[in-house]
Amino acid sequence: MSSNSKKVCILGASGYTGGELLRLLANHPGVEVVMATSREYVGKPVHYVHFNLRGIYRNLKFTDINLDAVSKNCDAVFLSLPHGVSLNYVPKILEMGILTIDLSADFRLKNPELYKMWYGFEHPYPDLLNKAVYGLPEIHRDELKNAKLIASPGCNATAGILSLLPLVKNNLIFLDKIVVDVKVGSSEAGSKPSIADHHPEREGCIRPYDADGHRHAAEVEQELSLVVGKSVSISMVPHAVGSVRGALASSHAWLTQNIDDVEMLKYYVATYKNEPFIRIVYKVPPGYPDPKYVVGSNYADIGFAIEKRIGRVTSFAAIDNLVKGAAGQAIQAFNIAMGFEETAGLLIVPPKPV
Amino acid sequence: MSSNSKKVCILGASGYTGGELLRLLANHPGVEVVMATSREYVGKPVHYVHFNLRGIYRNLKFTDINLDAVSKNCDAVFLSLPHGVSLNYVPKILEMGILTIDLSADFRLKNPELYKMWYGFEHPYPDLLNKAVYGLPEIHRDELKNAKLIASPGCNATAGILSLLPLVKNNLIFLDKIVVDVKVGSSEAGSKPSIADHHPEREGCIRPYDADGHRHAAEVEQELSLVVGKSVSISMVPHAVGSVRGALASSHAWLTQNIDDVEMLKYYVATYKNEPFIRIVYKVPPGYPDPKYVVGSNYADIGFAIEKRIGRVTSFAAIDNLVKGAAGQAIQAFNIAMGFEETAGLLIVPPKPV
Amino acid sequence: MSSNSKKVCILGASGYTGGELLRLLANHPGVEVVMATSREYVGKPVHYVHFNLRGIYRNLKFTDINLDAVSKNCDAVFLSLPHGVSLNYVPKILEMGILTIDLSADFRLKNPELYKMWYGFEHPYPDLLNKAVYGLPEIHRDELKNAKLIASPGCNATAGILSLLPLVKNNLIFLDKIVVDVKVGSSEAGSKPSIADHHPEREGCIRPYDADGHRHAAEVEQELSLVVGKSVSISMVPHAVGSVRGALASSHAWLTQNIDDVEMLKYYVATYKNEPFIRIVYKVPPGYPDPKYVVGSNYADIGFAIEKRIGRVTSFAAIDNLVKGAAGQAIQAFNIAMGFEETAGLLIVPPKPV
Amino acid sequence: MSSNSKKVCILGASGYTGGELLRLLANHPGVEVVMATSREYVGKPVHYVHFNLRGIYRNLKFTDINLDAVSKNCDAVFLSLPHGVSLNYVPKILEMGILTIDLSADFRLKNPELYKMWYGFEHPYPDLLNKAVYGLPEIHRDELKNAKLIASPGCNATAGILSLLPLVKNNLIFLDKIVVDVKVGSSEAGSKPSIADHHPEREGCIRPYDADGHRHAAEVEQELSLVVGKSVSISMVPHAVGSVRGALASSHAWLTQNIDDVEMLKYYVATYKNEPFIRIVYKVPPGYPDPKYVVGSNYADIGFAIEKRIGRVTSFAAIDNLVKGAAGQAIQAFNIAMGFEETAGLLIVPPKPV
């Protein structure tokens, strides 16, 4: 590790997102992970929980959260804590002048009212909401360069936004009748066991949840409304499926104009042509994006289909929910904020088949 | 087997639907399977292909199709042949005065033009289309009693229609902006190996297909338009997922009126309260229908979710694509036409977990 | 339900084995389930937990255990309680003169010392151990006819014993060097969530457990030693795999004599030719037993392979761990003890594919 | 790409092993892939087949095999062709003085008689068999430094050898009664569709194959006999399971001496302590090696269990069959032969969960 590498802390390192931060940062050329916290596993080596990391981090053990130590040793902090917990730490870390990347929802929404509506609590730091930069480089790259607080997007929100961006931005669809039908693997539910995600119950399931309104819709509405300068309504309907990794957003919308595939493709290419992690899938096998082929990587595969006789378009975004949907995207934003190559540590090629 | 049991032939008995007909008819109290055809496996016992049937049909071997033998030995014929092949046999079997249940798409659509549009061929027997009864008991029970030719519905179509029936029939949704987002297991693709369904490629996938227009939309449009007496437009977007059995239709639509969950439930109950195979899932675990809990059975689990702030409703139907979506539904229609108890041979309780 | 049907209670009905008892007994022609207990779900309908049973048992709700009610209402009791809990109820139910079928390990072993060694407790009712009949009909059919207390076998033990019975009984293998390598789906671990069986951790795993000695070896040793009249040593090494249902025992042993496939087959046929639930797989597809093709059913598929150059034989038994490995086998033994047809309620044909 | 990078050709690049070579070499600091052949996909970009490689190799297209071009442009050739096909190319490439790494079985065995016995053909180049170096660095690292022809090991053989090496080398087990019970994911069967690996048939299966003798036993016997200087007999029994990646060898053997876990561990550590890709799993979660936690990586996780009362030891090796079992191991051997860092391109951290 070079002497001028950046020292990074991970608060909440024993969950799946924490584990992915550890996996990806292990190969980051400019980063040293100096702290990984977990109340439950204090004193255990990180591979005690993350079996994949056996032999990778030889001396890193879980500790309790200690903000003094953070203050002395860290150049940046990733918070991978539950919603409503992160916000207890973020203001203090910001005061230390340390780059703060929060992977929870606690600073994603600009409008504090939305926290009451979607998360059921009064936000205690409404002033910080506008200081936070929503960590989606495809929309906020410039602001991320000077960010002090990065609110890393939700996984379903990432897929929703990336699928709809070319359509909304170019006024190609009606903005009040959009359904984002999401299918997502079990790792999205986190590492804590539950009946719903117990293997016998989850394997092979196709199970809608939050079908009367999913909170990630709020992020998608916020970001797309911002982009187009008009109010966008999003109805998000997620479904638990039996894969482990990956989320697919199938965003169904109604076209404002007659447009064919070739023209549509141009809008997609124009939107994403300089993006290092967006890959457009157009009329080559397997036809449309499938999260299976981005597993473990920071890529988002994007595509679309038009049913002309009806005027319906569906735009697809396939991501690895733990990478582009969480840890990878957070590192991408961190790289931008820290002045690293945006792709540092993230040029992982997904395996196939997996 | 009682002496007055009905003698049944299965043309195309080596595929998955043929196998399910054999499985279900094995326990039918009034049926004897006297012929099971398969060009590829002539002379082999049925368990040579259907390993599950080992020891069940001790003397039944695959034969070639022989219409003379059909004519002499059969009271009813199930055709489980590819689209475009069935129609070569159906007219001849009908002429023999034998009850004909066709599980292909060849006689499902009333309008011959639609065969050109969706299936790419000119239908050679357009006059037979109106003689065929679409084999969905929930809509056509009375006509099935006198049916000579039953056109058994497609699996995605079955899920689509059953999910939307209460909404369309009661004018609760706009009829021109309906998206049926289907998720379906690999058995739907049939028993013939392909790259797309090779295990390493299919396992864990979430892969859209036919996203620019799926042919089962034609059946859904036909049946729902008939029910409501107005033109209904359906956009169907199917997705291959990594389970083996089961299809879930998530039918997204926009409400014509403000309606709450309790009122909506009444419409669902009213529509289905006398149906032996429809089960309504409403605010009990797991919350919404999941095909995992109907595997192997003829049940269709139906439910809905309303997002009031947006005026969107999603109606769900979960079926076993090979049972209520194919073999089971065909037997249900056969029972009605033959005068058996409608549920004969079909009272199978799905296992859990599976 | 006919007036002279037998009234059955299930103690511990909310787990997977309890659910399977409910599923199978729903179609039993001579049984009425009058009580299903679950401390956790008192007052809830059984389909609140067993979603598959929606609409099947319309009025059955979970209750607390109430031995008075058992005494008044039941002809037979199935106990599907944890090891060490069953034994608190069994003596009392026996005293009521009610047929008792215990699906735990509490009365499977004849030698009380083995409870200390394998289960870590002193057995409080050693005298009852010899009154219990080990509920494997393939060995103990005659004793089951007069049984009062049936100790239903463990799933891995069932697969182990059935695979080895033809070899041991006929002195075809050395009895001191037998390894039973078991692969088993996640339902075996029960319905209680755990990290090990959390979907993201369990899916796709191939994970040995109890590899330094699995307690089901004790049952296999007891039963096979009894059959052959010599001491048999069994080393059992189970592996968790990513399927939900099914267990395969691959029992590796060393031949005492040169024997070819055809001769060996005769021993298997001779052992099992009258067994209603044993199916022998010999040189037809898929080549060897696979639990995938017995899912949901009470069948055990049995086969073998000989490697002549080395003198090694492997005998395979594939079962559904929750059916022939638990609930189905318990009902089979109950049928024998009650004087029902042995196959009553159990003639379920497994679906394929599933 | 630096000007002095090594130019590499892959013959047979459209299969799974070819795809993995492409994935891993994409991140190799000293390699440029200049040719990737596939008869079936000539002219198509590599991501036409390997969807994961979209955007990775921007200009690499499949070509036909052209040995002239190989001769002019390549420093090394990887052959990922079927058994019996590789041997037509290997002698010619060797004559060009180009480092040849053959991933087929064609040059793994020293004794030409074994090709008749296990592969059913007379080897046409018996003299080359002794010039080939068996590409397992853990045994042949020194010879690999000067190798011209590397015969890369089979995946089941790799797992078998690595699991048994500490036991055999130290005379801890009887050498005539060893059973290697292998469980392996579907990617091992290759990319060509088949009924056996059609998703509906393969998913959730636990299916023995080649149970009367698996050809990889020949490699294990050869290598272990060489190490210990005595004849070793191996009985290998592979099982297809429903995961996609990963192989676990559970090698069952009988101890020659009383030995406890701590002593045994010392032998394992002594054998592997300097190996960059061997990780020993000993009494930490999840207890024993599981291929789930090496997916996508070149690691082999090794562990053991002793059942003292019986004198049985089982040694486990978990690998990714396509990486340490194929492409990764081939690159590891190539690195040694070429003088690269042995781990170049291979320091991939496996993701979890996946």
Side-chain angles (χ1 to χ4, degrees):
Chain A
M1 200 53 66
S2 84
S3 59
N4 54 11
S5 64
K6 296 296 178 188
K7 291 184 165 53
V8 158
C9 299
I10 302 169
L11 305 192
S14 64
Y16 289 152
T17 303
E20 283 294 90
L21 287 168
L22 286 166
R23 174 176 73 96
L24 296 167
L25 292 173
N27 282 337
H28 194 296
V31 162
E32 183 186 2
V33 179
V34 296
M35 188 188 298
T37 80
S38 164
R39 214 164 32 183
E40 191 173 355
Y41 296 103
V42 170
K44 301 287 188 194
V46 294
H47 73 259
Y48 187 87
V49 172
H50 305 301
F51 314 142
N52 58 322
L53 300 180
R54 191 185 310 282
I56 307 295
Y57 284 96
R58 296 192 178 266
N59 297 307
L60 189 64
K61 292 185 177 167
F62 290 116
T63 61
D64 243 326
I65 295 182
N66 175 335
L67 292 188
D68 264 6
V70 167
S71 160
K72 286 175 195 144
N73 298 324
C74 294
D75 297 305
V77 175
F78 290 88
L79 294 96
S80 181
L81 296 165
H83 305 314
V85 176
S86 263
L87 52 73
N88 298 320
Y89 297 99
V90 164
K92 294 169 193 163
I93 300 167
L94 277 178
E95 274 175 27
M96 299 170 189
I98 294 173
L99 176 63
T100 305
I101 304 102
D102 181 20
L103 286 88
S104 85
D106 287 358
F107 295 90
R108 290 179 195 154
L109 302 176
K110 300 301 171 196
N111 179 351
E113 293 302 310
L114 294 174
Y115 282 95
K116 278 183 225 157
M117 176 175 162
W118 289 104
Y119 290 89
F121 67 83
E122 183 98 24
H123 202 288
Y125 305 104
D127 51 316
L128 279 183
L129 295 178
N130 276 308
K131 294 192 182 146
V133 178
Y134 190 75
L136 194 80
E138 290 78 6
I139 294 184
H140 297 287
R141 183 169 286 113
D142 286 343
E143 297 148 86
L144 285 169
K145 286 173 188 159
N146 303 304
K148 302 302 176 203
L149 170 56
I150 296 168
S152 207
C155 56
N156 293 346
T158 297
I161 296 168
L162 293 177
S163 68
L164 288 165
L165 188 58
L167 297 174
V168 168
K169 183 178 176 174
N170 295 295
N171 287 296
L172 299 170
I173 55 173
F174 290 101
L175 301 180
D176 61 338
K177 291 206 167 30
I178 303 171
V179 177
V180 181
D181 186 302
V182 178
K183 298 89 181 158
V184 67
S186 60
S187 60
E188 193 186 43
S191 60
K192 210 179 148 194
S194 67
I195 291 179
D197 298 306
H198 189 45
H199 184 275
E201 302 298 332
R202 175 82 193 217
E203 177 53 18
C205 78
I206 311 176
R207 186 203 310 147
Y209 66 95
D210 288 354
D212 53 2
H214 180 60
R215 44 174 67 160
H216 281 193
E219 295 173 43
V220 183
E221 291 182 342
Q222 167 182 290
E223 293 299 311
L224 293 179
S225 298
L226 185 79
V227 163
V228 73
K230 296 177 198 168
S231 172
V232 179
S233 284
I234 296 291
S235 215
M236 187 173 274
V237 185
H239 299 73
V241 296
S243 47
V244 173
R245 289 230 177 185
L248 179 78
S250 307
S251 298
H252 307 294
W254 307 97
L255 291 166
T256 52
Q257 53 195 273
N258 200 347
I259 181 169
D260 69 16
D261 284 0
V262 172
E263 292 169 276
M264 184 60 92
L265 177 62
K266 287 180 191 159
Y267 288 109
Y268 278 70
V269 170
T271 304
Y272 289 129
K273 66 174 177 288
N274 294 319
E275 289 300 331
F277 293 112
I278 306 285
R279 309 190 300 188
I280 293 173
V281 180
Y282 180 71
K283 304 208 171 167
V284 287
Y288 300 104
D290 181 341
K292 187 174 169 72
Y293 302 114
V294 299
V295 164
S297 85
N298 201 48
Y299 292 109
D301 281 3
I302 311 283
F304 64 87
I306 295 170
E307 188 166 14
K308 288 203 108 172
R309 80 181 179 101
I310 293 213
R312 184 261 317 167
V313 63
T314 302
S315 188
F316 301 102
I319 60 170
D320 181 323
N321 55 300
L322 294 178
V323 188
K324 185 64 179 170
Q329 181 146 268
I331 293 170
Q332 188 181 355
F334 157 88
N335 283 340
I336 295 170
M338 273 291 180
F340 285 116
E341 273 293 308
E342 186 170 334
T343 58
L346 297 173
L347 290 175
I348 287 166
V349 185
K352 168 175 178 290
V354 74
Chain B
M1 199 56 64
S2 85
S3 60
N4 53 11
S5 64
K6 296 296 177 187
K7 291 185 164 50
V8 158
C9 299
I10 301 169
L11 304 193
S14 65
Y16 290 151
T17 302
E20 283 294 271
L21 287 167
L22 286 165
R23 174 176 73 96
L24 296 166
L25 292 173
N27 282 337
H28 194 296
V31 162
E32 183 186 5
V33 179
V34 296
M35 187 188 299
T37 81
S38 162
R39 214 164 32 182
E40 191 173 355
Y41 296 103
V42 169
K44 300 287 187 195
V46 294
H47 73 259
Y48 187 87
V49 172
H50 305 302
F51 314 142
N52 57 322
L53 300 180
R54 188 185 312 282
I56 308 294
Y57 284 97
R58 297 190 178 268
N59 297 308
L60 189 64
K61 291 185 177 167
F62 291 116
T63 62
D64 244 327
I65 294 181
N66 176 335
L67 291 187
D68 264 7
V70 168
S71 160
K72 286 175 196 146
N73 298 323
C74 295
D75 297 302
V77 175
F78 291 88
L79 293 97
S80 182
L81 295 166
H83 305 314
V85 176
S86 264
L87 52 74
N88 297 320
Y89 297 98
V90 164
K92 294 169 193 162
I93 300 167
L94 277 176
E95 274 176 26
M96 299 170 189
I98 295 175
L99 175 63
T100 305
I101 304 103
D102 181 20
L103 286 87
S104 85
D106 287 358
F107 295 90
R108 291 179 196 155
L109 302 176
K110 301 298 170 199
N111 179 350
E113 293 302 311
L114 293 175
Y115 282 95
K116 279 184 224 155
M117 176 174 160
W118 289 103
Y119 291 89
F121 67 83
E122 183 98 25
H123 202 288
Y125 305 104
D127 51 317
L128 279 183
L129 295 178
N130 278 309
K131 295 193 181 145
V133 178
Y134 190 76
L136 194 80
E138 290 78 5
I139 295 183
H140 298 286
R141 183 169 285 111
D142 284 345
E143 297 148 87
L144 285 169
K145 286 174 187 158
N146 303 304
K148 302 300 178 205
L149 170 55
I150 296 169
S152 206
C155 55
N156 294 345
T158 297
I161 296 168
L162 292 177
S163 66
L164 287 164
L165 188 57
L167 297 175
V168 167
K169 183 179 178 175
N170 295 295
N171 286 295
L172 299 170
I173 56 172
F174 291 100
L175 301 180
D176 61 338
K177 291 204 166 35
I178 303 171
V179 178
V180 181
D181 185 302
V182 178
K183 298 89 182 160
V184 66
S186 60
S187 60
E188 192 186 43
S191 61
K192 208 179 148 197
S194 67
I195 292 179
D197 297 308
H198 190 43
H199 184 275
E201 303 297 333
R202 176 81 193 218
E203 176 54 17
C205 79
I206 310 175
R207 187 205 308 146
Y209 66 95
D210 287 355
D212 53 1
H214 180 61
R215 43 174 67 159
H216 281 193
E219 295 173 44
V220 183
E221 291 182 343
Q222 167 182 290
E223 293 300 311
L224 293 179
S225 298
L226 186 79
V227 164
V228 73
K230 297 177 199 169
S231 171
V232 179
S233 283
I234 296 291
S235 214
M236 187 174 274
V237 185
H239 299 73
V241 295
S243 46
V244 172
R245 290 230 177 185
L248 179 78
S250 308
S251 298
H252 306 294
W254 308 97
L255 292 166
T256 52
Q257 54 195 270
N258 201 348
I259 181 169
D260 68 17
D261 283 0
V262 172
E263 293 169 275
M264 184 61 91
L265 178 62
K266 288 180 191 158
Y267 288 109
Y268 278 70
V269 170
T271 305
Y272 289 129
K273 65 174 178 290
N274 294 320
E275 288 301 330
F277 294 113
I278 307 284
R279 308 190 299 188
I280 293 174
V281 180
Y282 179 72
K283 302 207 171 167
V284 287
Y288 300 104
D290 180 343
K292 187 174 170 75
Y293 303 113
V294 298
V295 164
S297 84
N298 201 47
Y299 291 109
D301 282 3
I302 310 284
F304 64 88
I306 295 170
E307 187 167 14
K308 287 203 109 170
R309 80 183 178 100
I310 293 212
R312 184 260 317 165
V313 63
T314 301
S315 188
F316 301 102
I319 60 171
D320 182 323
N321 55 299
L322 294 177
V323 188
K324 184 64 179 170
Q329 182 147 265
I331 293 169
Q332 188 182 355
F334 157 88
N335 283 341
I336 296 169
M338 273 291 181
F340 286 116
E341 273 292 308
E342 185 171 334
T343 58
L346 297 174
L347 290 175
I348 287 167
V349 185
K352 168 175 177 290
V354 75
Chain C
M1 198 56 63
S2 85
S3 60
N4 53 11
S5 64
K6 295 296 179 188
K7 291 185 167 49
V8 157
C9 298
I10 301 169
L11 304 193
S14 65
Y16 289 151
T17 303
E20 284 294 270
L21 287 167
L22 286 165
R23 173 176 74 95
L24 296 166
L25 293 173
N27 283 337
H28 194 295
V31 162
E32 182 186 3
V33 178
V34 296
M35 187 188 299
T37 80
S38 163
R39 214 166 31 184
E40 191 173 354
Y41 296 102
V42 169
K44 302 286 186 194
V46 294
H47 73 259
Y48 187 88
V49 171
H50 305 300
F51 314 142
N52 57 322
L53 300 180
R54 189 185 311 282
I56 307 296
Y57 284 97
R58 297 190 179 268
N59 297 307
L60 189 64
K61 291 185 178 168
F62 291 116
T63 61
D64 243 327
I65 295 181
N66 176 336
L67 291 188
D68 264 7
V70 167
S71 160
K72 287 174 195 146
N73 299 322
C74 295
D75 298 303
V77 175
F78 290 88
L79 294 96
S80 182
L81 296 165
H83 305 313
V85 176
S86 264
L87 52 72
N88 297 319
Y89 297 99
V90 164
K92 295 168 192 163
I93 301 167
L94 277 177
E95 274 175 26
M96 299 171 190
I98 295 174
L99 176 63
T100 305
I101 304 103
D102 181 20
L103 286 88
S104 84
D106 287 358
F107 295 90
R108 292 179 196 154
L109 302 176
K110 300 300 172 200
N111 179 351
E113 293 302 311
L114 293 175
Y115 282 95
K116 278 183 225 157
M117 176 174 161
W118 288 104
Y119 290 88
F121 68 84
E122 183 99 24
H123 202 289
Y125 305 104
D127 50 317
L128 280 182
L129 295 178
N130 277 309
K131 296 192 182 146
V133 178
Y134 190 75
L136 194 81
E138 290 78 6
I139 295 184
H140 298 286
R141 183 169 285 112
D142 285 344
E143 297 148 85
L144 284 169
K145 286 173 189 160
N146 304 303
K148 302 302 177 203
L149 169 56
I150 296 169
S152 206
C155 56
N156 293 346
T158 297
I161 296 168
L162 293 177
S163 66
L164 287 165
L165 187 58
L167 297 174
V168 168
K169 183 178 178 175
N170 294 295
N171 286 296
L172 299 170
I173 55 173
F174 291 100
L175 301 180
D176 60 339
K177 291 205 167 31
I178 303 172
V179 177
V180 181
D181 186 302
V182 178
K183 298 89 180 160
V184 67
S186 60
S187 60
E188 193 187 41
S191 60
K192 208 179 146 195
S194 67
I195 292 180
D197 297 308
H198 190 43
H199 184 274
E201 303 297 332
R202 176 81 192 219
E203 175 55 17
C205 79
I206 311 173
R207 186 204 309 146
Y209 66 96
D210 287 355
D212 52 1
H214 180 61
R215 44 174 67 158
H216 282 193
E219 296 173 42
V220 183
E221 291 182 343
Q222 167 182 291
E223 294 299 310
L224 294 179
S225 297
L226 186 79
V227 164
V228 73
K230 296 178 200 168
S231 171
V232 179
S233 284
I234 296 291
S235 214
M236 186 174 274
V237 185
H239 299 74
V241 296
S243 46
V244 172
R245 290 229 177 186
L248 179 78
S250 307
S251 298
H252 306 294
W254 307 97
L255 291 165
T256 52
Q257 54 195 271
N258 201 348
I259 180 169
D260 68 17
D261 283 0
V262 172
E263 292 169 275
M264 183 61 89
L265 178 62
K266 288 179 191 158
Y267 289 110
Y268 278 70
V269 170
T271 305
Y272 290 129
K273 66 173 178 289
N274 294 320
E275 288 300 330
F277 294 112
I278 306 284
R279 309 190 298 188
I280 291 173
V281 180
Y282 180 72
K283 303 208 171 166
V284 288
Y288 301 103
D290 181 342
K292 186 174 170 74
Y293 303 114
V294 297
V295 164
S297 84
N298 201 47
Y299 293 108
D301 281 4
I302 311 282
F304 64 87
I306 296 170
E307 188 167 14
K308 287 203 109 171
R309 79 182 178 101
I310 294 215
R312 184 259 320 165
V313 63
T314 301
S315 188
F316 301 101
I319 60 171
D320 182 324
N321 54 300
L322 294 177
V323 188
K324 184 64 179 170
Q329 181 146 268
I331 293 169
Q332 187 181 355
F334 157 89
N335 284 340
I336 296 169
M338 274 290 181
F340 286 116
E341 273 293 308
E342 184 171 334
T343 59
L346 297 174
L347 289 176
I348 287 167
V349 185
K352 168 175 178 290
V354 75
Chain D
M1 199 54 65
S2 86
S3 60
N4 53 12
S5 64
K6 295 296 179 188
K7 291 183 165 52
V8 158
C9 299
I10 302 169
L11 305 192
S14 64
Y16 289 151
T17 302
E20 282 294 90
L21 287 167
L22 286 165
R23 173 176 74 95
L24 296 167
L25 292 173
N27 283 336
H28 193 295
V31 162
E32 184 185 4
V33 178
V34 297
M35 186 187 298
T37 81
S38 163
R39 215 165 30 183
E40 191 173 356
Y41 295 103
V42 170
K44 301 287 188 194
V46 293
H47 73 259
Y48 187 87
V49 173
H50 305 300
F51 314 143
N52 57 322
L53 299 181
R54 189 184 311 282
I56 308 295
Y57 284 96
R58 298 192 176 267
N59 298 306
L60 189 65
K61 292 184 176 167
F62 290 116
T63 63
D64 245 327
I65 295 182
N66 176 336
L67 291 188
D68 265 6
V70 168
S71 160
K72 284 174 196 146
N73 297 324
C74 295
D75 298 304
V77 175
F78 290 88
L79 294 96
S80 181
L81 297 165
H83 305 314
V85 176
S86 263
L87 52 72
N88 297 320
Y89 296 99
V90 164
K92 295 169 193 162
I93 300 167
L94 276 178
E95 274 175 27
M96 299 171 189
I98 294 174
L99 176 63
T100 305
I101 304 102
D102 181 21
L103 285 88
S104 84
D106 288 357
F107 296 90
R108 291 180 196 154
L109 302 176
K110 301 301 170 197
N111 179 351
E113 292 303 311
L114 293 175
Y115 282 95
K116 277 183 226 157
M117 175 175 162
W118 290 104
Y119 291 88
F121 68 84
E122 183 99 25
H123 202 288
Y125 306 104
D127 50 318
L128 278 182
L129 295 178
N130 276 308
K131 294 192 181 144
V133 178
Y134 190 75
L136 195 81
E138 291 78 5
I139 295 183
H140 298 286
R141 183 168 285 114
D142 285 345
E143 296 148 87
L144 285 168
K145 286 174 188 158
N146 303 304
K148 301 303 177 203
L149 170 56
I150 296 168
S152 207
C155 56
N156 293 346
T158 297
I161 296 169
L162 293 177
S163 66
L164 288 165
L165 187 57
L167 297 174
V168 168
K169 183 178 175 174
N170 295 295
N171 286 295
L172 300 169
I173 55 173
F174 291 101
L175 301 180
D176 60 338
K177 292 206 167 30
I178 303 172
V179 177
V180 181
D181 185 302
V182 179
K183 298 90 181 160
V184 67
S186 60
S187 61
E188 192 185 45
S191 59
K192 210 179 148 195
S194 67
I195 292 179
D197 298 307
H198 190 43
H199 184 275
E201 302 297 334
R202 176 82 193 218
E203 178 53 18
C205 79
I206 311 175
R207 186 203 310 147
Y209 66 96
D210 288 354
D212 54 1
H214 180 60
R215 42 173 70 158
H216 282 193
E219 295 173 44
V220 182
E221 292 182 342
Q222 168 182 288
E223 294 299 312
L224 293 178
S225 298
L226 186 79
V227 164
V228 72
K230 298 177 198 167
S231 172
V232 179
S233 284
I234 297 290
S235 215
M236 187 174 273
V237 185
H239 299 74
V241 295
S243 48
V244 173
R245 289 228 176 185
L248 179 79
S250 307
S251 298
H252 306 294
W254 307 98
L255 291 166
T256 52
Q257 54 196 271
N258 200 347
I259 181 170
D260 68 17
D261 285 0
V262 172
E263 292 168 275
M264 184 60 92
L265 177 62
K266 287 179 191 159
Y267 288 110
Y268 278 70
V269 170
T271 305
Y272 289 129
K273 66 175 177 287
N274 295 318
E275 288 301 330
F277 293 113
I278 307 285
R279 307 189 301 188
I280 293 174
V281 180
Y282 179 72
K283 303 208 169 167
V284 287
Y288 301 103
D290 181 342
K292 186 174 170 73
Y293 302 114
V294 299
V295 163
S297 85
N298 201 47
Y299 292 107
D301 282 2
I302 311 283
F304 64 87
I306 295 170
E307 188 167 15
K308 287 203 109 172
R309 80 181 177 102
I310 293 213
R312 183 259 318 165
V313 63
T314 301
S315 188
F316 301 103
I319 61 171
D320 181 323
N321 55 300
L322 294 177
V323 189
K324 185 63 179 170
Q329 181 147 268
I331 293 170
Q332 187 182 355
F334 157 87
N335 284 340
I336 296 169
M338 272 292 181
F340 286 115
E341 273 292 309
E342 185 171 335
T343 59
L346 297 174
L347 290 176
I348 288 167
V349 185
K352 168 175 178 288
V354 74

